[in-house]
Amino acid sequence: MYLIKNAGVYAPEDLGELDVLTGGGQILKIGKNLPAEEAYGVEVIDGRGKVLMPGLIDAHVHILGGGGEGGARTRTPELMLSDAVSGGVTTVVGCLGTDGCTRTMENLLAKAKGLEEEGITTYVYTGSYQVPVRTLTGSVMDDIILLEKVVGTGEIAISDHRSSQPRKKEFARIVADTRVGGILSGKAGLVNIHMGDGEDRLKFLRYVVKKTEIPPSNMLPTHINRSMALMEEGIDYAKTLGGYIDLTTSSDPEHLDPDEVKASAGLKMALEAGVSPDHVTFSSDGQGSLPVFDAEGRFAGLGVGKVASLYREMKDAVLEEGLSLTDALRAVSKNPAALLKLPNKGRIAEGADADLVLADRDTLAIDTVLAKGRVMMRDGQVLAKGTFER
Ligand code: FWO
Ligand code: ZN
């Protein structure tokens, strides 16, 4: 049991300076001057001068590794536990990307189970870029209903030279099957959609919202900040159709697309344009490849996404863009939790999971991280290492 005393609590709403008691993997009590019952083995953590935030939720991580667009030597490495913990990320949703052949659903599920055993909370999307969707059971709906960790489908590529060039009705069918799979299993049924640089941009999503009975909350287009044109269309989609947009926080200066919008700047742009603060999320694309192709579509090099970029962009949204900590935190806690239908994640409340990040109030440097009530990082040092990490 841990009693975090006198921290500024951002749930993500600003609750002021409070004590938070955890035990059995949950947040048990939030209040003023909670007594430290040492007798029950309560360990006190001093929260003075610090802010306490919900553990971050990263809804797009290539936990198995991804890449390969430059040949086999460019297949990226898998996620290590400390990559997530050191970035304050306590929940991840794993996905496959371009390579849905050598990267398999069996492997993805095993990696998700491994990370769960090591101490963080994991889910996965079924499928990869490709259409028809490469599932485990042979059906999108069955994968979601029958496989506990499968919360949706993705990352399905559209408007991209690497997509399967699906037709809009094929796309609508994937969203429909995913939605019903979610309804029948009490899970999100969320389609994570990879947006490329193609000119059709969000046309398929507009089609689903306007021409079917499916609500926009079953679709999350990611990489919206990969160009200013897509950023602007994403803002319009969110404002006029109530759509949700996800900004990718990983970027590799060496392979930076000149037109790319930094996620923290994109969040400010969206909020200033009048997009509802509940409709913008960040995700890292961690361990995914960040490939660059030239005008003729030739591979021109690649970087690797980092889960740590999620926290960095949340921090920059506050320290560089001047957003409130609440507005910045929503994008990595409450909003992904709502879309993923994870009621016990992404918030500091009694009964919620004890996924918590304690950071310096001024620099937002991470001090302590709890995942499912276990201290994974303390005084800035990662304590919980993955099985094969030093
Ligand atoms: C983005 C994942 C991209 C993989 O367009 O989609 O390739 O399979 O590992 N990454 N293809 C990166 C941009 C948003 C910068 C992926 C990657
Ligand atoms: Zn992608």
Side-chain angles (χ1 to χ4, degrees):
M1 292 174 85
Y2 293 95
L3 179 60
I4 301 162
K5 287 196 70 70
N6 304 316
V9 177
Y10 287 80
E13 296 70 23
D14 180 356
L15 301 185
E17 195 162 290
L18 291 165
D19 298 345
V20 175
L21 177 69
T22 70
Q26 290 198 317
I27 295 170
L28 299 175
K29 195 95 187 85
I30 302 173
K32 277 277 186 207
N33 307 318
L34 297 186
E37 304 296 338
E38 251 86 15
Y40 298 115
V42 173
E43 187 177 335
V44 175
I45 295 175
D46 183 3
R48 275 171 306 171
K50 296 197 171 63
V51 289
L52 188 66
M53 304 169 277
L56 274 59
I57 300 169
D58 195 341
H60 187 117
V61 184
H62 294 264
I63 57 175
L64 193 51
E69 288 103 335
R73 61 185 164 75
T74 63
R75 296 169 86 254
T76 61
E78 64 186 295
L79 185 74
M80 291 292 137
L81 179 70
S82 59
D83 296 329
V85 170
S86 56
V89 171
T90 52
T91 301
V92 299
V93 184
C95 66
L96 304 182
T98 311
D99 178 0
C101 166
T102 72
R103 307 295 191 172
T104 64
M105 282 309 298
E106 293 86 347
N107 213 330
L108 186 66
L109 283 169
K111 178 63 183 176
K113 269 176 72 175
L115 286 167
E116 184 89 38
E117 288 169 11
E118 289 177 319
I120 61 173
T121 301
T122 63
Y123 299 97
V124 303
Y125 300 113
T126 188
S128 60
Y129 268 29
Q130 274 87 38
V131 174
V133 180
R134 296 185 67 153
T135 62
L136 198 68
T137 62
S139 141
V140 161
M141 206 179 289
D142 297 1
D143 271 22
I144 295 169
I145 295 169
L146 302 174
L147 302 171
E148 186 252 334
K149 278 190 177 294
V150 179
V151 295
T153 306
E155 54 172 323
I156 299 296
I158 58 172
S159 305
D160 193 296
H161 63 98
R162 294 160 291 172
S163 85
S164 304
Q165 305 301 325
R167 290 184 306 285
K168 65 186 174 192
K169 288 192 188 303
E170 283 180 289
F171 176 78
R173 168 58 65 85
I174 291 167
V175 183
D177 290 349
T178 301
R179 172 176 170 77
V180 175
I183 289 170
L184 292 174
S185 60
K187 289 187 275 184
L190 182 67
V191 183
N192 187 281
I193 302 149
H194 162 99
M195 298 310 303
D197 289 314
E199 284 173 14
D200 279 354
R201 287 192 270 273
L202 295 168
K203 194 174 88 173
F204 283 11
L205 287 88
R206 293 175 184 278
Y207 169 78
V208 169
V209 175
K210 286 181 181 168
K211 299 293 182 195
T212 76
E213 305 76 14
I214 298 170
S217 53
N218 288 99
M219 298 186 287
L220 185 59
T222 186
H223 312 323
I224 289 290
N225 55 317
R226 72 182 304 146
S227 71
M228 184 54 84
L230 189 53
M231 187 73 227
E232 285 165 354
E233 178 160 338
I235 286 171
D236 176 70
Y237 168 68
K239 281 185 71 174
T240 56
L241 296 179
Y244 295 81
I245 52 175
D246 185 64
L247 311 185
T248 296
T249 55
S250 285
S251 71
D252 172 12
E254 254 182 77
H255 299 92
L256 197 62
D257 182 319
D259 201 10
E260 184 182 275
V261 178
K262 193 169 186 294
S264 47
L267 174 60
K268 182 178 180 191
M269 196 175 145
L271 295 182
E272 285 182 343
V275 171
S276 153
D278 300 331
H279 282 232
V280 187
T281 54
F282 284 174
S283 64
S284 73
D285 207 7
Q287 299 318 115
S289 63
L290 312 176
V292 174
F293 297 90
D294 66 17
E296 286 67 47
R298 284 188 298 251
F299 176 75
L302 87 172
V304 185
K306 286 284 167 229
V307 165
S309 64
L310 195 74
Y311 190 87
R312 184 201 66 218
E313 287 306 310
M314 186 283 291
K315 179 166 65 87
D316 289 352
V318 176
L319 301 185
E320 289 180 15
E321 301 297 333
L323 296 183
S324 71
L325 184 53
T326 296
D327 277 347
L329 272 176
R330 269 201 200 92
V332 294
S333 62
K334 181 179 179 190
N335 294 356
L339 279 171
L340 292 165
K341 288 196 171 49
L342 302 175
N344 293 329
K345 297 297 188 186
R347 63 195 182 101
I348 296 181
E350 293 175 1
D353 290 357
D355 293 350
L356 295 163
V357 175
L358 189 64
D360 180 273
R361 172 178 286 282
D362 302 320
T363 65
L364 292 180
I366 298 178
D367 177 277
T368 295
V369 175
L370 275 78
K372 296 190 279 189
R374 183 180 150 215
V375 169
M376 311 289 277
M377 183 170 173
R378 185 95 188 243
D379 305 327
Q381 296 303 316
V382 175
L383 304 176
K385 298 276 186 176
T387 310
F388 302 102
E389 290 187 277
R390 282 287 147 269

